[in-house]
Amino acid sequence: MPRSYALIDCNNFYASCERVFRPGLRGHPVVVLSNNDGCVIARSAEAKGLGIPMGAPFFKWRALLRRHGVAVFSSNYALYGDMSARVMRVIARFCPEVAVYSIDEAFADLTGVPGGASAFARRFKATVERWTSIPVSIGIGPTKTLAKLANRLAKRHARLQGVFDHAASPDPDRVLRHTDIGDVWGIGPRHAARLRKLGVNDALAFRDLDQSWVRKKMTVTGLHTLLELRGQPCLGFSEGPADRKTIVSSRSFGHPVSSLDELLEASAQYTVRAAERLRSQGAVASHVLVFLQTNPFRPGLPQYSASQAVPLPVATAHTPALIRAAQAGLTRIYKEGFDYKKCGVMLSGLEPANGRWLSLLDLPPDDTPRHAPLMRAVDALNARWGRDTVTFAASGSKDAPWRMRREMRSPRYTTVWEELPKVRAD
DNA sequence: TCTGGGGTCCTAGGACCC
DNA sequence: TCTGGGGTCCTAGGACCC
């Protein structure tokens, strides 16, 4: 029996989150900016209507945004992460099998739900919206790729009212014919351009290509996309977040940085974040990679970028040990006389904390027996009282100039007591 | 005279995703 | 002055081993 997969996708998620606590902004254009207020990463429908593209650099669009009275927000991940968790909880409550795919999307297996997938999805969509105030669209199909494609249509055509089941369509091929090749999930700009040159302009033409040609030119990933468009599932459906294989933490700086001391602080800060995520998935890392780079958008200035992998004697999740490794690597690649734009830390060689290999040499593991309880205590305090309640001196002061700019951030309405919205009857 | 073949691991680069 | 951050998967090629 064919499966019935649904993709539930929040509409303009970050912009919708901002509107939940600012109902006056409904019907009003809203955009959300990336870190450092660099570029536009979310747009409400009204903002899209003004022709503001995804990724538009803020400084180039500032005047137009002001002219149209667009509400502009710095990103507020504390808010979005919490709203996402609320949406996902509602989804998990009603759908038998759920795989969270990203902060604003989840796949659900609706095979065999009573009353049929479409009717179920319509009721369910209304519930999510009532309980969270976040609008969603639902696409349904026999494979994840077709569900994704159906979701695009559900969003685009008002008459579908946010729900579309590809399998229930009277003319499924027509749907594919009207889907641009570049809009197919898994076909990026490179492959799209190449396929267009060959006259393959839409999903239908791609679906009917020769399998072995696609396998050869686009590797098995391309072949999977093709088979999924034919209705043959190739992408697994896994519940629960997969454990990461690498963890990256990096940021562009609020201002250019050239001193080693500041870079050491920043690298310590990013290591602290990465180590938190490492412990939250119950893992230890065997390598720390540290990298830094100047601003590639300023080709006139001297450019330098470098990275250095530092192996750890024993895989660990102990923040001070990871900081020491990152800083040692950074010191090795640092060169004076450059304006650095960005640095970052990557943890790799991840393994479960229980059941890892220990060295036969006499180096005592960094995080046992005394260190593991210390990290647990730090994590517990920060979970209870808020991020960075306890932090590490190596990461420098909270107002260091390298820290990112977020000048238009909304309150963290749902996660910080002091920023709760106040309701008052006057 | 005859100069193999298969396997693993690592890295870099490409492509894609949200 | 100002152009995000965090991931995954695949492949090719080199080093190394037996």
Side-chain angles (χ1 to χ4, degrees):
Chain A
M1 182 178 69
R3 316 294 301 176
S4 225
Y5 293 112
L7 174 66
I8 303 133
D9 188 328
C10 301
N11 301 345
N12 317 322
F13 182 56
Y14 299 166
S16 299
C17 288
E18 296 293 349
R19 287 217 270 235
V20 170
F21 295 92
R22 293 278 304 277
L25 292 176
R26 290 194 196 145
H28 211 82
V30 172
V31 301
V32 177
L33 305 178
S34 64
N35 289 327
N36 276 315
D37 298 338
C39 53
V40 173
I41 54 167
R43 307 155 294 157
S44 71
E46 301 78 12
K48 288 176 189 170
L50 292 172
I52 302 156
M54 181 72 171
F58 178 47
F59 74 95
K60 285 188 185 167
W61 287 80
R62 180 172 235 149
L64 180 134
L65 294 169
R66 188 172 302 158
R67 205 157 58 238
H68 287 91
V70 178
V72 179
F73 293 92
S74 301
S75 46
N76 183 350
Y77 286 101
L79 176 65
Y80 312 148
D82 186 61
M83 292 306 296
S84 170
R86 293 174 187 219
V87 171
M88 298 306 170
R89 273 200 298 276
V90 180
I91 294 174
R93 178 157 165 176
F94 291 94
C95 296
E97 271 185 273
V98 177
V100 174
Y101 179 69
S102 74
I103 193 164
D104 68 338
E105 286 168 283
F107 285 99
D109 188 345
L110 300 186
T111 311
V113 290
S118 297
F120 179 91
R122 266 188 280 277
R123 283 196 308 274
F124 167 61
K125 168 177 151 64
T127 306
V128 173
E129 293 175 356
R130 198 159 53 240
W131 290 12
T132 66
S133 290
I134 299 288
V136 298
S137 302
I138 303 180
I140 304 165
T143 64
K144 288 169 127 184
T145 303
L146 285 169
K148 191 93 186 175
L149 196 146
N151 190 286
R152 275 194 73 258
L153 271 94
K155 277 203 169 68
R156 285 169 92 89
H157 300 293
R159 67 187 161 77
L160 296 172
Q161 298 182 305
V163 176
F164 179 62
D165 183 353
H166 182 257
S169 163
D171 188 354
D173 281 7
R174 186 170 169 273
V175 172
L176 295 191
R177 195 160 45 239
H178 285 88
T179 300
D180 185 84
I181 186 65
D183 292 331
V184 174
W185 192 39
I187 310 252
R190 297 301 259 263
H191 282 142
R194 190 167 171 197
L195 288 164
R196 277 198 197 97
K197 272 192 196 140
L198 299 165
V200 178
N201 294 304
D202 57 70
L204 187 69
F206 179 72
R207 184 198 72 181
D208 294 338
L209 281 175
D210 177 56
Q211 271 191 49
S212 54
W213 184 87
V214 171
R215 169 70 183 83
K216 203 156 62 199
K217 301 290 180 185
M218 299 173 65
T219 80
V220 293
T221 10
L223 179 60
H224 286 162
T225 300
L226 178 138
L227 293 174
E228 287 239 326
L229 287 176
R230 292 182 182 176
Q232 183 179 324
C234 296
L235 307 174
F237 187 94
S238 61
E239 284 198 68
D243 281 345
R244 304 266 167 253
K245 294 173 180 166
T246 57
I247 294 174
V248 179
S249 176
S250 74
R251 286 283 180 283
S252 295
F253 300 128
H255 301 275
V257 167
S258 36
S259 82
L260 178 59
D261 282 348
E262 285 182 292
L263 289 169
L264 289 173
E265 277 182 16
S267 66
Q269 174 63 34
Y270 304 150
T271 307
V272 168
R273 287 283 175 266
E276 285 168 359
R277 273 185 269 154
L278 181 67
R279 291 192 295 273
S280 77
Q281 74 170 49
V284 291
S286 65
H287 284 78
V288 178
L289 180 124
V290 59
F291 59 90
L292 81 177
Q293 65 186 55
T294 50
N295 188 348
F297 290 103
R298 294 275 169 276
L301 295 178
Q303 297 287 320
Y304 172 62
S305 77
S307 68
Q308 170 90 52
V310 182
L312 294 154
V314 174
T316 183
H318 186 57
T319 299
L322 296 168
I323 290 179
R324 275 195 297 277
Q327 294 191 328
L330 185 68
T331 308
R332 251 171 271 155
I333 53 176
Y334 171 76
K335 283 194 197 169
E336 252 178 273
F338 291 94
D339 278 346
Y340 294 101
K341 174 66 183 162
K342 179 176 182 177
C343 83
V345 166
M346 177 161 91
L347 305 180
S348 63
L350 271 43
E351 339 161 6
N354 45 17
R356 77 188 122 141
W357 295 92
L358 293 177
S359 170
L360 284 176
L361 305 178
D362 56 352
L363 295 160
D366 255 323
D367 55 349
T368 51
R370 282 183 310 126
H371 289 151
L374 176 61
M375 288 302 109
R376 272 202 297 278
V378 168
D379 291 337
L381 285 167
N382 288 335
R384 175 71 184 79
W385 299 101
R387 174 180 265 193
D388 292 336
T389 300
V390 181
T391 186
F392 294 80
S395 58
S397 83
K398 273 195 142 79
D399 45 16
W402 53 267
R403 292 189 186 257
M404 69 172 164
R405 287 189 306 275
R406 278 199 303 201
E407 286 161 9
M408 294 153 285
R409 203 199 65 208
S410 50
R412 291 162 290 187
Y413 299 106
T414 62
T415 55
V416 177
W417 286 113
E418 292 74 29
E419 301 181 16
L420 282 183
K422 294 184 181 67
V423 179
R424 185 176 59 204
D426 283 332

